[in-house]
Amino acid sequence: MDQIQKPKADYSLAMQGESEMENNSVLEITDVNKNFGGLRALADVNLSIEEGKIHAIIGPNGAGKSTLLNVCIGRLAPDTGSVTFGGKNMVGLQPHEINHAGMVRVFQTPEIFPDLTLLQNVMIPALAKRDGMFCFNAFKDMRDQKDIQDEADHALEDVGLIKFRNNMAATISRGDKRRLELAMGLIQHPKLLLLDEPTAGMARHDTNRTIELLQKIKERGMTKVIIEHDMHVVFSLADHISVLAQGEIIVSGAPDEIRGNPIVKEAYLGGEEL
Amino acid sequence: MKKIIATQSNLSVMLIFIAVVLSAPLWLTPIGANYPDLLQKFAIFGIFAIGFNILFGLTGYLSFGHAVFLGIGSYAAVWSFKLLTMNVVPAIIFGIVLSGLFAAVIGFISLRRSGIYFSILTLAFAQMSYNLAYSVLTPITNGETGLQLRIHDPRVLDAAAAEQSGIPSTTLFGLSMSGYSGFYFCAVVLILAFYVSLKIFRSPFGLKLQAIKSNQTRMKYTGFNTRPYLLTAFIISGMYAGLAGALMAVTDPLAGAERMQWTASGEVVLMTILGGAGTLIGPLLGVGIIKYFENIFSALNEDALHTIFNFLPEFLENFLVLITHPFVGEGWHLTLGALFMIIVIFLPGGVMEGINRVSNFVKGKYFSDDSGPDSKAESRLQPGDAGGE
Ligand SMILES: Nc1ncnc2c1ncn2[C@@H]1O[C@H](COP(=O)(O)OP(=O)(O)OP(=O)(O)O)[C@@H](O)[C@H]1O
Ligand SMILES: [Mg+2]
């Protein structure tokens, strides 16, 4: 099967990268703990995300994957531990400050602007990139912002939504909303893009298009953390995989190691043949 | 389709708007609303509602205490008339600046919360100001009597003309602000106010405000610090209210605390929702409808009804008068209340939604070939459209 071939090539690349550059991580998650009441959602999580790579996090439902991303982007504060991004401590920063540091997240349940058109949805993050956290440009005309419009059109083109350009975001399908949000993340050219199940709820052929898109931008050198249940997606894209179960990272390694690992099969894959 | 105004250039929108406003005394004649006092009210409350709509219509933050800025604008203007000059220009500038400063403070505190808590905070501030104006602030507000002009007010800049007898009237560099000149002055200010609002609606800033209304959480994770955006919108709309308050003092140089009462704050909410929050024209339609009911409908009595239905056979005339009688005169609140309920239930987007539906229907019927595959999405109510309607 072809999805087994591809990661092998990626894997060898990843090994080279690892041996060449030891200290090339953009995101360092160190000893992070997070409890919800009595529930231990994250238990001493240590993770290092390497620049230019796609790092997949897999694990059963409720393992704490989304919680981990929430801690990274400042939606939740960790009980203990630190999150360092580009050498700077992220814990305690506001979400918009973390965004401008270059870490952008695409949510598990689509977070879009339902009352705006698709084009406007994508122009907003482009404006954030250009205008910064606050800019009182009340006397410019949106219709004169040709550069922003072109950029947004390109982003919609990339994810295949250009035909809905002037539709309200509330009216498109759930799978399209996820792709819209992906476009909103990509247009900001973040240093690190965190994707929470980007293909969940998509039809097979849309999933394949998303994989293609993600591969394409990988060549542009954007680092990504991707959470996925779809093993096809994971093994087609990831350079490195970490398995999270009950708040703990049980295994971390290259795709081949993960595929053959009996603990992983036990904890997550349920003996499913890969 | 939806874009009755959204696709027009700023220039054509403004030309139409100017023509409609300046010719108001003509086209309002058939419905008996063409006297300067009422026309001024239309213009002044129009400014108030346009400003309120910049906050509520664009960001979705419902202030329930906006009348406080109306009051502040009035007090500032009357003090300017008392101390400086009867010229309206400084009075208006003071009204705008002072209400802007108060809006900065009240907004800074109230915007710590959102939703109903924000509304309650603004209401609390307004009621507090209202009560203070009656009590400890009496030296500034003149308490229950209200702040009035006196013959012996200093008016330092008008020293040369101080020898007149009687209280002078407000002027624009010598042009008296009474009757139609008063209306035309307010109309010009309304046109400027509308232009600024049009620019804001169509700007990147305006789009960001609409995005905050649509999904504030997403805005934060997209890299925007939403609080200063909200505060700026709050201050701008407070300044609009201050301008409206100052104009009230221009047309009638008197300021009383009742201008800040919660009913006045509630009125602008009703006007905006009735006409269509988040649209450019809607709030103005709301103002027109409510002020018309308040001033014209309330004055209709049984005799007037008989005159209106005079052309019908006698028994039909009597029957119609009997039915309509409870809804006019003292009963105008009943009509307005019923109208408000009908609109909110059937047209949540206000009168503007009704107009859009009708225009879509007409266009769909006669130009059905131009309705593309996405016409359905377009005909939805679109409070978030950057151009408004
Ligand atoms: N804000 C919260 N308050 C309380 N409990 C929470 C909160 N967020 C997550 N949890 C709990 O923490 C655990 C981990 O949740 P999380 O959403 O991180 O799982 P996940 O790995 O993303 O699962 P899924 O694959 O279903 O998305 C779950 O048991 C969840 O119920
Ligand atoms: Mg999750």
Side-chain angles (χ1 to χ4, degrees), chain A residues 36 39 41 60-67 108 197 229:
Chain A
F36 293 117
L39 179 81
N61 289 112
K65 306 181 297 292
S66 298
T67 305
Q108 185 169 3
E197 303 193 21
H229 282 301

mmCIF file of all heavy atoms in Angstrom, chain A residues 36 39 41 60-67 108 197 229, ligand 1:
data_model
loop_
_atom_site.group_PDB
_atom_site.id
_atom_site.type_symbol
_atom_site.label_atom_id
_atom_site.label_comp_id
_atom_site.label_asym_id
_atom_site.label_seq_id
_atom_site.Cartn_x
_atom_site.Cartn_y
_atom_site.Cartn_z
ATOM 1 N N PHE A 36 -8.074 18.415 36.109
ATOM 2 C CA PHE A 36 -9.432 18.966 36.168
ATOM 3 C C PHE A 36 -10.112 18.283 37.339
ATOM 4 O O PHE A 36 -10.528 17.139 37.230
ATOM 5 C CB PHE A 36 -10.204 18.661 34.888
ATOM 6 C CG PHE A 36 -9.664 19.350 33.671
ATOM 7 C CD1 PHE A 36 -9.170 18.617 32.609
ATOM 8 C CD2 PHE A 36 -9.657 20.740 33.589
ATOM 9 C CE1 PHE A 36 -8.690 19.259 31.480
ATOM 10 C CE2 PHE A 36 -9.172 21.375 32.465
ATOM 11 C CZ PHE A 36 -8.679 20.633 31.408
ATOM 12 N N LEU A 39 -9.387 14.654 37.903
ATOM 13 C CA LEU A 39 -8.944 14.011 36.667
ATOM 14 C C LEU A 39 -7.576 14.524 36.238
ATOM 15 O O LEU A 39 -7.361 15.721 36.114
ATOM 16 C CB LEU A 39 -9.974 14.298 35.561
ATOM 17 C CG LEU A 39 -9.645 13.708 34.193
ATOM 18 C CD1 LEU A 39 -10.035 12.250 34.138
ATOM 19 C CD2 LEU A 39 -10.336 14.496 33.097
ATOM 20 N N ALA A 41 -5.509 15.203 33.514
ATOM 21 C CA ALA A 41 -5.612 15.298 32.054
ATOM 22 C C ALA A 41 -4.247 15.257 31.394
ATOM 23 O O ALA A 41 -4.084 14.701 30.317
ATOM 24 C CB ALA A 41 -6.350 16.571 31.664
ATOM 25 N N PRO A 60 -6.171 7.713 22.295
ATOM 26 C CA PRO A 60 -7.618 7.486 22.352
ATOM 27 C C PRO A 60 -8.380 8.739 22.785
ATOM 28 O O PRO A 60 -7.793 9.696 23.263
ATOM 29 C CB PRO A 60 -7.764 6.370 23.386
ATOM 30 C CG PRO A 60 -6.509 6.374 24.172
ATOM 31 C CD PRO A 60 -5.437 6.912 23.286
ATOM 32 N N ASN A 61 -9.689 8.704 22.634
ATOM 33 C CA ASN A 61 -10.528 9.824 23.067
ATOM 34 C C ASN A 61 -10.315 10.100 24.552
ATOM 35 O O ASN A 61 -10.218 9.194 25.358
ATOM 36 C CB ASN A 61 -12.015 9.506 22.842
ATOM 37 C CG ASN A 61 -12.357 9.513 21.367
ATOM 38 O OD1 ASN A 61 -12.652 8.474 20.804
ATOM 39 N ND2 ASN A 61 -12.283 10.665 20.757
ATOM 40 N N GLY A 62 -10.233 11.377 24.873
ATOM 41 C CA GLY A 62 -10.075 11.756 26.273
ATOM 42 C C GLY A 62 -8.663 11.603 26.789
ATOM 43 O O GLY A 62 -8.414 11.693 27.988
ATOM 44 N N ALA A 63 -7.701 11.368 25.887
ATOM 45 C CA ALA A 63 -6.327 11.152 26.323
ATOM 46 C C ALA A 63 -5.679 12.443 26.813
ATOM 47 O O ALA A 63 -4.704 12.406 27.565
ATOM 48 C CB ALA A 63 -5.508 10.573 25.172
ATOM 49 N N GLY A 64 -6.188 13.583 26.384
ATOM 50 C CA GLY A 64 -5.606 14.857 26.791
ATOM 51 C C GLY A 64 -4.937 15.602 25.651
ATOM 52 O O GLY A 64 -4.228 16.581 25.873
ATOM 53 N N LYS A 65 -5.192 15.175 24.428
ATOM 54 C CA LYS A 65 -4.530 15.800 23.277
ATOM 55 C C LYS A 65 -4.939 17.260 23.107
ATOM 56 O O LYS A 65 -4.089 18.150 22.996
ATOM 57 C CB LYS A 65 -4.871 15.015 21.991
ATOM 58 C CG LYS A 65 -4.556 13.524 22.083
ATOM 59 C CD LYS A 65 -4.875 12.785 20.805
ATOM 60 C CE LYS A 65 -6.345 12.789 20.428
ATOM 61 N NZ LYS A 65 -7.230 12.018 21.309
ATOM 62 N N SER A 66 -6.254 17.495 23.118
ATOM 63 C CA SER A 66 -6.717 18.876 22.956
ATOM 64 C C SER A 66 -6.288 19.728 24.147
ATOM 65 O O SER A 66 -5.958 20.908 23.990
ATOM 66 C CB SER A 66 -8.242 18.919 22.815
ATOM 67 O OG SER A 66 -8.635 18.213 21.665
ATOM 68 N N THR A 67 -6.299 19.122 25.314
ATOM 69 C CA THR A 67 -5.860 19.850 26.508
ATOM 70 C C THR A 67 -4.415 20.316 26.350
ATOM 71 O O THR A 67 -4.069 21.440 26.721
ATOM 72 C CB THR A 67 -5.996 18.939 27.751
ATOM 73 O OG1 THR A 67 -7.339 18.463 27.807
ATOM 74 C CG2 THR A 67 -5.657 19.688 29.015
ATOM 75 N N GLN A 108 -10.562 21.944 17.151
ATOM 76 C CA GLN A 108 -11.220 20.670 16.861
ATOM 77 C C GLN A 108 -12.663 20.900 16.404
ATOM 78 O O GLN A 108 -13.095 20.329 15.416
ATOM 79 C CB GLN A 108 -11.191 19.790 18.112
ATOM 80 C CG GLN A 108 -11.745 18.396 17.878
ATOM 81 C CD GLN A 108 -11.457 17.464 19.042
ATOM 82 O OE1 GLN A 108 -10.886 17.859 20.054
ATOM 83 N NE2 GLN A 108 -11.849 16.217 18.903
ATOM 84 N N GLU A 197 -7.200 17.589 14.836
ATOM 85 C CA GLU A 197 -8.034 16.732 13.986
ATOM 86 C C GLU A 197 -8.543 17.462 12.746
ATOM 87 O O GLU A 197 -9.745 17.625 12.558
ATOM 88 C CB GLU A 197 -9.199 16.164 14.797
ATOM 89 C CG GLU A 197 -8.689 15.401 16.011
ATOM 90 C CD GLU A 197 -9.771 14.547 16.678
ATOM 91 O OE1 GLU A 197 -10.760 14.244 16.006
ATOM 92 O OE2 GLU A 197 -9.586 14.193 17.841
ATOM 93 N N HIS A 229 -6.966 11.080 14.397
ATOM 94 C CA HIS A 229 -7.399 9.710 14.651
ATOM 95 C C HIS A 229 -7.210 8.860 13.395
ATOM 96 O O HIS A 229 -7.106 7.650 13.470
ATOM 97 C CB HIS A 229 -8.872 9.680 15.055
ATOM 98 C CG HIS A 229 -9.088 10.076 16.477
ATOM 99 N ND1 HIS A 229 -8.508 9.408 17.524
ATOM 100 C CD2 HIS A 229 -9.799 11.077 17.026
ATOM 101 C CE1 HIS A 229 -8.858 9.971 18.662
ATOM 102 N NE2 HIS A 229 -9.636 10.998 18.392
HETATM 103 N N1 LIG C 1 -12.151 22.360 30.594
HETATM 104 C C1 LIG C 1 -12.242 21.124 31.080
HETATM 105 N N2 LIG C 1 -12.780 20.912 32.301
HETATM 106 C C2 LIG C 1 -12.877 19.676 32.811
HETATM 107 N N3 LIG C 1 -12.458 18.577 32.182
HETATM 108 C C3 LIG C 1 -11.919 18.702 30.972
HETATM 109 C C4 LIG C 1 -11.784 19.990 30.358
HETATM 110 N N4 LIG C 1 -11.207 19.835 29.138
HETATM 111 C C5 LIG C 1 -10.988 18.514 29.008
HETATM 112 N N5 LIG C 1 -11.409 17.831 30.105
HETATM 113 C C6 LIG C 1 -11.263 16.392 30.313
HETATM 114 O O1 LIG C 1 -9.926 16.080 30.156
HETATM 115 C C7 LIG C 1 -9.777 14.848 29.458
HETATM 116 C C8 LIG C 1 -8.929 15.086 28.236
HETATM 117 O O2 LIG C 1 -9.699 15.832 27.297
HETATM 118 P P1 LIG C 1 -9.165 16.252 25.865
HETATM 119 O O3 LIG C 1 -10.210 17.106 25.235
HETATM 120 O O4 LIG C 1 -7.819 16.834 25.992
HETATM 121 O O5 LIG C 1 -9.111 14.840 25.137
HETATM 122 P P2 LIG C 1 -8.690 14.528 23.641
HETATM 123 O O6 LIG C 1 -7.485 13.666 23.742
HETATM 124 O O7 LIG C 1 -8.579 15.762 22.851
HETATM 125 O O8 LIG C 1 -9.923 13.666 23.161
HETATM 126 P P3 LIG C 1 -10.676 13.645 21.749
HETATM 127 O O9 LIG C 1 -9.937 12.691 20.877
HETATM 128 O O10 LIG C 1 -12.028 13.151 22.081
HETATM 129 O O11 LIG C 1 -10.672 15.032 21.213
HETATM 130 C C9 LIG C 1 -11.166 14.365 29.134
HETATM 131 O O12 LIG C 1 -11.542 13.391 30.092
HETATM 132 C C10 LIG C 1 -12.028 15.590 29.270
HETATM 133 O O13 LIG C 1 -13.308 15.259 29.702
#
